[in-house]
Amino acid sequence: MTNQSNQSVRRAFTLVDELAENGPRGVSELADDLDMPVSTVHDYLQALITTGYVTKNDTDYKTTTRFLEVGHRQCHRLEVYKAVSDELETVAEETGEHATLLIEEDDQAVIVAVQEGPDAINLFAYPGARMPLHATAPGKAMLAHMPRERVTEIIDRHGLVEVTPRTVTDPDVLFEQLEEVHSKGYAIDVGERIAGMVCIAAPIRDKEDRIRGAICVCGPRSRLDEDRRTEIADVAKRAANVTQVNLDYV
């Protein structure tokens, strides 16, 4: 692929990302925000309309539900998504909280499935949402079962960004935590990504001990005291174990 072709693809997806992140926009507004010529933005938007991934409403452009179709198909291709079966719903019902299935992709934790328990608060979590591995319980659950060299590479590429004041930004502290996570079989973050929230996650491994994802439960700190955290960790670990067994039959 030529440099010009690469640039065209990048620009097209830059426009898509901008529309997805900030909602419907006009050509001039997009051109100003992205520092691109109006004529260039207009041409790319017209091309995206022909693909069915962007549509125009009066003077504004927006992404279409075609992306839901792509995401839905991709989720169903994931073995771990199939293997989790009804476990995520059971976890949400038993804990009453917010339960998610996440995988690692491109050095980030990515949500692929969400279930809300009867007491769950709205976290605006949705399939496809991405977050730093080091700042989340599911991310740490997965990092703890990766080779140290791989974890070091991820840190070197992305750093340890401070998401909240409680986020771990010291590599030595992170590695100490990962050793503890590996030993306990689950990870906890207390306000490291979302202030006031506690998240507890258990890793999902396959029969070859490769990390395939993590099951995570999140709830407000006021509800998740130490005893409650232990109970939820047991629920998450059980669900991860069932999913691991199911992976053998996917």
Side-chain angles (χ1 to χ4, degrees), residues 24 37 62 78 124 129 132 157 159 176 193 204 241:
K62 63 180 181 179
L78 296 171
F124 195 59
R157 277 195 295 267
E176 289 177 3
R193 189 178 76 88
I204 300 169
N241 179 249

Side-chain angles (χ1 to χ4, degrees), residues 1-101:
M1 184 178 286
T2 65
N3 288 334
Q4 185 175 358
S5 297
N6 280 330
Q7 185 182 48
S8 295
V9 172
R10 286 196 300 270
R11 282 181 171 178
F13 277 100
T14 296
L15 281 167
V16 167
D17 286 340
E18 182 68 19
L19 290 173
E21 182 71 22
N22 296 305
R25 320 282 286 287
V27 174
S28 297
E29 188 177 4
L30 284 166
D32 288 342
D33 291 344
L34 298 176
D35 194 23
M36 293 168 59
V38 171
S39 59
T40 300
V41 171
H42 179 268
D43 289 345
Y44 277 105
L45 288 171
Q46 297 310 306
L48 286 165
I49 285 176
T50 64
T51 67
Y53 288 95
V54 168
T55 189
K56 185 180 180 182
N57 183 16
D58 293 329
T59 60
D60 287 344
Y61 294 82
K62 63 180 181 179
T63 53
T64 71
T65 54
R66 283 293 300 277
F67 288 102
L68 293 177
E69 179 185 354
V70 172
H72 186 70
R73 287 180 176 177
Q74 180 59 24
C75 281
H76 281 269
R77 289 191 182 102
L78 296 171
E79 290 182 344
V80 70
Y81 181 89
K82 301 174 187 176
V84 79
S85 187
D86 299 326
E87 284 303 305
L88 207 62
E89 183 177 357
T90 300
V91 169
E93 290 177 354
E94 287 188 11
T95 63
E97 305 292 352
H98 205 279
T100 50
L101 169 68

